Amino acid sequence: MLKLAIIFALISLVAGALGFTGIAGATGGVAKVIFAIFLVLLLLALAGLLFGVTLAF
């Protein structure tokens, strides 16, 4: 999931550098959402490890 967020961020940077601001804004927003989902899942997994609870994703 982190890989997907990085890919969208890179697409956003390239689109912004080429002047496609609409595409850059949209892909930047998608990258932020995917990264936020990644962070939530990471925190849940770490909390599961800390408390000894196994989470089946």
Side-chain angles (χ1 to χ4, degrees), residues 1-14 27 31 34:
M1 184 163 297
L2 182 60
K3 183 178 178 180
L4 189 61
I6 292 171
I7 290 171
F8 272 103
L10 289 175
I11 291 171
S12 176
L13 288 172
V14 170
T27 55
I34 292 173

Side-chain angles (χ1 to χ4, degrees), residues 23-46:
I23 295 172
T27 55
V30 170
K32 286 180 189 178
V33 169
I34 292 173
F35 186 70
I37 293 170
F38 166 77
L39 283 180
V40 168
L41 292 176
L42 177 67
L43 290 175
L44 285 174
L46 289 176

Side-chain angles (χ1 to χ4, degrees), residues 42-55:
L42 177 67
L43 290 175
L44 285 174
L46 289 176
L49 287 174
L50 183 65
F51 297 118
V53 178
T54 58
L55 301 173

